[in-house]
Amino acid sequence: MSRVLSGIQPSGQLTLGNYIGAMKNFVKLQETEECFFMVVDLHAITVPQEPAALSEQTEALAALYIAAGIDPSKASVFIQSHVRAHAELGWLFTTLANMGELERMTQFKDKAAGKESVGAGLFVYPTLMAADILIYHADLIPVGDDQKQHIELTRDLTQRFNSRFGEYFKTPEPYIHKVGARIMSLDDASKKMSKSNPNPGSFIALLDPIDVIRKKIARATTDSGMEVRFDPANKPEVSNLMSIYSHCADLTLPEIEERYQGQGYGSFKKDLAEAVISVIEPLQARYHEIRESGEIHQILKQGAEKASNIADRTLAEVKERMGFLLPRG
Ligand code: ATP
Ligand code: LTN
């Protein structure tokens, strides 16, 4: 059994991109592997968050994990900041990383682009992520394509730690599905669908009202042609909608092409909206039940206890290896 760990930021409304690229895989993996799934609130504050919104979004995201099918008797679900060792190991890893390698991170470059002032937390974001992964000695990290570079950096830091302080950590592997690893924005297929995009028309939120989902899909940008064909280089918008359809309706891309041959985009988009709704509607119903019951707090407490046991031990062993004087007596 491998140990699996991943996290999602409570930095806005969870999107269909997060669901397809990340959560759907989490639900599958819990059946065969030992899983830890976090709400990474310490990462979310690398860009400014309103305090009231942060706590609401954190609780909402934890409930969405359960609504999406994570079973707390199979996987541990917890809040990153409830396991205090993350922040401490994150600092230790920050001292192992170089400015140059952090400057090369495309997520940092994208989020810093055009800003007058860029938070230092955004810069050291990947060293905290490395700590998240290594603190559990995780083997497999299910993420969307955009996180691959951060996992590669984690692998480099693992090797650096081991060569300076003796073999201790194993090197984690990314786990990325080919189709759906990068769902693009509905208004611009050159950008990934992202919950922190200021234009709500660019994403489908898992908690969007059903009629809003229909409208967003009807308005999604397409090319001026009429052929439903998977061709990301020449038809990036339609190809993106086809990837979404393929995930929500469990159809292959050739099956979709065949179904809409000679029909234009109208009926394709209508059916796509219904396919998306068939996934989202039951998820929303479960979400509301979980929020109303208040059961999430007990789930998070148990998750944090299990995670802290492992994390505290790793942190103590790391500090010993690095030469910290440990408290005695
Ligand atoms: P933000 O816009 O605040 O940076 P985000 O929408 O990119 O947020 P994250 O919390 O950074 O979401 O990512 C959570 C998980 O969802 C990660 O595994 C990430 O790779 C995956 N993910 C995010 N956006 C997409 C997308 N458009 N397509 C596929 N996977 C995605
Ligand atoms: N950076 C990730 C979120 C994240 C994460 C992690 C993912 C934080 N820590 C550890 C996997 C493992 C993102 O999705 N933006």
Side-chain angles (χ1 to χ4, degrees):
M1 207 189 240
S2 296
R3 188 171 279 171
V4 169
L5 171 118
S6 198
I8 302 182
Q9 301 181 76
S11 48
Q13 293 243 23
L14 221 67
T15 71
L16 195 59
N18 299 129
Y19 178 74
I20 294 174
M23 260 185 184
K24 227 180 139 196
N25 289 328
F26 299 175
V27 174
K28 243 190 254 153
L29 284 163
Q30 70 177 346
E31 299 303 331
T32 52
E33 316 300 335
E34 184 191 15
C35 292
F36 293 83
F37 299 121
M38 299 182 289
V39 177
V40 290
D41 50 355
L42 297 172
H43 277 109
I45 60 163
T46 56
V47 297
Q49 303 288 339
E50 274 303 318
L54 181 64
S55 54
E56 163 56 28
Q57 285 165 9
T58 300
E59 192 177 330
L61 176 46
L64 274 173
Y65 270 128
I66 310 300
I70 302 292
D71 176 348
S73 71
K74 293 182 180 154
S76 303
V77 176
F78 61 97
I79 310 294
Q80 184 186 31
S81 66
H82 293 182
V83 180
R84 296 169 74 155
H86 284 258
E88 195 170 341
L89 190 66
W91 170 251
L92 302 182
F93 274 108
T94 297
T95 68
L96 286 181
N98 303 317
M99 301 283 283
E101 60 195 350
L102 294 175
E103 274 161 5
R104 281 196 293 277
M105 294 293 114
T106 53
Q107 178 176 295
F108 172 71
K109 287 195 272 189
D110 289 349
K111 291 201 172 184
K115 301 249 162 61
E116 234 169 66
S117 140
V118 178
L122 203 55
F123 189 62
V124 297
Y125 180 115
T127 60
L128 178 59
M129 180 160 160
D132 292 342
I133 294 170
L134 295 177
I135 210 163
Y136 300 105
H137 303 280
D139 306 289
L140 270 191
I141 318 301
V143 282
D145 195 48
D146 61 312
Q147 295 301 309
K148 200 168 157 195
Q149 198 186 26
H150 287 158
I151 294 174
E152 263 150 30
L153 178 70
T154 302
R155 290 164 62 87
D156 292 344
L157 292 175
T158 308
Q159 278 153 22
R160 197 167 305 156
F161 182 94
N162 288 349
S163 72
R164 278 177 62 179
F165 304 111
E167 243 355 89
Y168 176 65
F169 287 119
K170 52 187 168 184
T171 312
E173 298 280 342
Y175 176 90
I176 302 173
H177 263 265
K178 281 191 202 88
V179 181
R182 188 179 280 265
I183 300 296
M184 309 313 279
S185 282
L186 298 180
D187 62 339
D188 177 356
S190 69
K191 283 201 231 134
K192 73 160 190 158
M193 183 181 284
S194 158
K195 59 176 129 66
S196 51
N197 189 321
N199 172 15
S202 71
F203 58 78
I204 294 171
L206 294 179
L207 296 177
D208 269 343
I210 300 302
D211 56 325
V212 171
I213 296 174
R214 282 204 185 91
K215 273 190 208 131
K216 284 185 176 180
I217 290 178
R219 284 186 199 143
T221 311
T222 46
D223 53 66
S224 55
M226 55 171 293
E227 207 185 344
V228 179
R229 177 163 52 84
F230 192 75
D231 178 357
N234 299 307
K235 296 169 78 73
E237 296 87 4
V238 171
S239 302
N240 182 44
L241 296 180
M242 288 178 70
S243 296
I244 297 175
Y245 197 178
S246 154
H247 271 274
C248 293
D250 255 332
L251 289 170
T252 65
L253 297 167
E255 280 167 348
I256 299 171
E257 284 178 352
E258 199 178 318
R259 186 173 291 191
Y260 294 97
Q261 223 172 19
Q263 288 194 48
Y265 298 147
S267 57
F268 166 67
K269 274 182 155 185
K270 231 187 226 149
D271 293 353
L272 167 63
E274 296 317 309
V276 169
I277 290 164
S278 74
V279 170
I280 286 188
E281 212 167 26
L283 189 146
Q284 290 187 354
R286 286 195 295 274
Y287 169 82
H288 293 299
E289 270 170 36
I290 294 158
R291 286 302 299 266
E292 275 152 34
S293 75
E295 65 190 291
I296 195 67
H297 301 289
Q298 191 54 33
I299 293 172
L300 293 174
K301 188 164 172 240
Q302 271 169 9
E305 273 166 14
K306 176 151 187 230
S308 292
N309 281 335
I310 302 170
D312 290 347
R313 187 167 351 114
T314 306
L315 180 63
E317 288 172 359
V318 166
K319 287 172 83 173
E320 196 174 359
R321 281 172 181 265
M322 289 180 83
F324 284 91
L325 177 66
L326 303 176
R328 286 184 210 153

